[in-house]
Amino acid sequence: MSAANDPGQPEALLFDVSTRTEVELRGGDRASFLHNFCTQDILGLPVGQGCEALILNVQARILAYVRIFARQESLWIDSEPGLGPKIVQHLDRHLVMEQVSIFDSTRELTQFHLAGPRARGILEQALGMDLSGWKPLQHGDHQLFDVRCQVRRNDYLSLPGFDLLFAATRNRTVMEGLESLGVRGAEMDLFHRLRIEAGTPAYGIDIDESNLPQELNRDGRLLSYTKGCYLGQEPVVRIRDLGHVNRKLLGLKLDGPEVPAAGSKVMQGGKEVGQVTSAAFSPRVGSAIALAYLRRGYDQVGTSVQVDGQSAQVTSLPFVTP
C-alpha cells in the first residue's frame, strides 16, 4: 500500500529526533580512515550525498547501523540515540597517524524529521528552492527561517521525508516557522510505528552486537563487495561465498489487531522458528505487523507461522512504500 494513497495519513508530521547520534569527522584523511571501518565505499561517496552502512568489529558483529553524509569539509555519521560515545571510542581506538578529528556533536544540535505527502512542498516553500531532483540521502546547507540548517532527504519512514539539523539554540525559531506553514508535531510512538511499516530496523531494538550484516536482509543498501579491505570484511565475504546466514530479518503480517511483545517467539508446528523484535498495529496495513528474525527454511515470503497464538504470514519489507 502506498502512503500517498492512504486517506488517513497526515499530510505533514514533525518529529523531534534530537537524541539521534551525530558524530562528525574532520581532517584530510577522514574519508580514507572511515572507509577502513565501515561496510560502504566512502572514498567513492560524492560531497552532498549519503549512504547507509554498518560499523563492524573484527568478527563482523554489528557495532552500529549508520547513515554517512559527505560534506565539503567533514563526514557526518548519523545513528540511533546513545551510540555517540561507542562510535567515537571505536574509531578513536584505531587512529594512529591519520589527520582525523572525531567529535560527538549530538548535544549541540536539534534534529527534526519532517515527513508526509506535503513534506517536500512545505520545505520548498520555507527554503524558496526546488527539491524535486533530490536523491535519497542527498543533503546540503540552507537558510531555513534565517537559521543555518543542514537539510537531508531521508525517506526512512516510507513517507517523503527530510531531516533538519541546526543549532539547538534556534529550536523555537524553526518550530514556529514550520507550524506557520501547517506542520504539526507528532509523538514518537507514531514515528516507531511508521518505522516498522517501512521495515527500517533500529539499533538496540532490532539490531545488536549478536547480529551479522547479512542477517539484516539489506545487502544492497549496506554492503559494498568491491571496496577493498575493512574491519570485519573477511567474515562478510565468507558468508557471501557460503550463500546464506542462519536467520534473516523479515516482516510478519498478523491476522488480527493484537500486537505481540518484542521477544515473542515465532512458531510453526510447535517449533520455534524465529523471534519478534518490533511490532505495532498498522492502520495502513489493517492489522498488527512485526519485524522478526526467521530461521533459514522458514524465511520464505508467504510462509504461515504463529505468534502468541495468532496466525501470521511472512512478508517482504517494507510493508508500505513511499
Side-chain angles (χ1 to χ4, degrees):
M1 181 188 299
S2 168
N5 295 327
D6 178 9
Q9 183 60 40
E11 291 294 295
L13 297 168
L14 189 68
F15 297 98
D16 188 339
V17 293
S18 299
T19 57
R20 287 192 64 84
T21 290
E22 295 295 329
V23 170
E24 187 178 0
L25 276 67
R26 303 174 191 163
D29 296 330
R30 62 188 181 276
S32 58
F33 175 73
L34 187 57
H35 186 84
N36 292 330
F37 296 100
C38 73
T39 59
Q40 277 286 20
D41 181 0
I42 306 306
L43 291 176
L45 187 63
V47 170
Q49 299 297 327
C51 65
E52 292 185 27
L54 301 171
I55 297 174
L56 309 177
N57 65 17
V58 69
Q59 292 85 24
R61 300 294 176 173
I62 300 173
L63 301 179
Y65 167 38
V66 302
R67 292 174 182 85
I68 298 170
F69 298 90
R71 292 163 58 78
Q72 190 67 47
E73 297 182 353
S74 60
L75 288 166
W76 285 55
I77 300 173
D78 171 273
S79 194
E80 299 297 331
L83 289 181
K86 179 181 182 180
I87 292 171
V88 171
Q89 182 180 31
H90 174 71
L91 295 178
D92 189 66
R93 184 186 303 125
H94 293 93
L95 274 176
V96 184
M97 298 293 290
E98 297 91 350
Q99 295 182 11
V100 179
S101 299
I102 306 171
F103 306 90
D104 185 349
S105 301
T106 305
R107 294 186 179 181
E108 302 169 11
L109 300 168
T110 288
Q111 182 175 172
F112 289 156
H113 183 70
L114 178 65
R118 289 190 60 229
R120 193 190 85 199
I122 287 171
L123 195 55
E124 286 178 334
Q125 182 179 351
L127 295 172
M129 62 180 292
D130 181 9
L131 300 171
S132 61
W134 276 37
K135 301 175 182 179
L137 302 184
Q138 185 171 339
H139 56 94
D141 288 339
H142 301 282
Q143 290 295 117
L144 179 65
F145 309 115
D146 294 323
V147 175
R148 180 180 171 86
C149 181
Q150 185 182 154
V151 180
R152 303 170 176 169
R153 180 182 165 189
N154 195 345
D155 301 341
Y156 65 153
L157 299 183
S158 273
L159 288 169
F162 294 86
D163 294 328
L164 310 173
L165 289 83
F166 50 91
T169 55
R170 306 306 304 274
N171 187 315
R172 184 173 178 179
T173 300
V174 175
M175 175 67 82
E176 290 178 350
L178 291 171
E179 287 176 344
S180 73
L181 298 178
V183 176
R184 68 175 179 85
E187 298 296 325
M188 289 305 293
D189 284 349
L190 176 56
F191 180 93
H192 290 298
R193 187 256 286 176
L194 294 171
R195 176 186 69 78
I196 294 166
E197 290 178 343
T200 302
Y203 196 91
I205 300 175
D206 308 291
I207 312 168
D208 59 30
E209 290 189 24
S210 71
N211 289 116
L212 295 163
Q214 287 95 331
E215 292 176 349
L216 303 190
N217 207 17
R218 296 167 76 87
D219 293 18
R221 296 187 182 192
L222 293 171
L223 303 178
S224 169
Y225 287 112
T226 60
K227 61 168 286 185
C229 295
Y230 60 90
L231 191 68
Q233 181 201 32
E234 290 185 11
V236 170
V237 172
R238 189 159 56 245
I239 292 168
R240 179 200 64 184
D241 294 343
L242 287 173
H244 67 265
V245 284
N246 291 326
R247 59 177 181 171
K248 284 186 178 180
L249 188 69
L250 288 155
L252 294 178
K253 181 180 182 297
L254 288 89
D255 287 352
E258 187 175 344
V259 178
S264 294
K265 295 178 180 179
V266 182
M267 308 293 292
Q268 188 186 79
K271 180 179 180 180
E272 182 179 347
V273 299
Q275 188 175 66
V276 169
T277 57
S278 296
F281 177 77
S282 170
R284 291 200 279 178
V285 176
S287 68
I289 58 174
L291 303 182
Y293 286 100
L294 282 302
R295 288 173 49 186
R296 189 162 60 96
Y298 302 90
D299 56 356
Q300 297 300 309
V301 171
T303 299
S304 295
V305 294
Q306 297 81 41
V307 183
D308 293 344
Q310 292 189 83
S311 297
Q313 291 75 46
V314 177
T315 70
S316 58
L317 296 172
F319 291 98
V320 297
T321 54

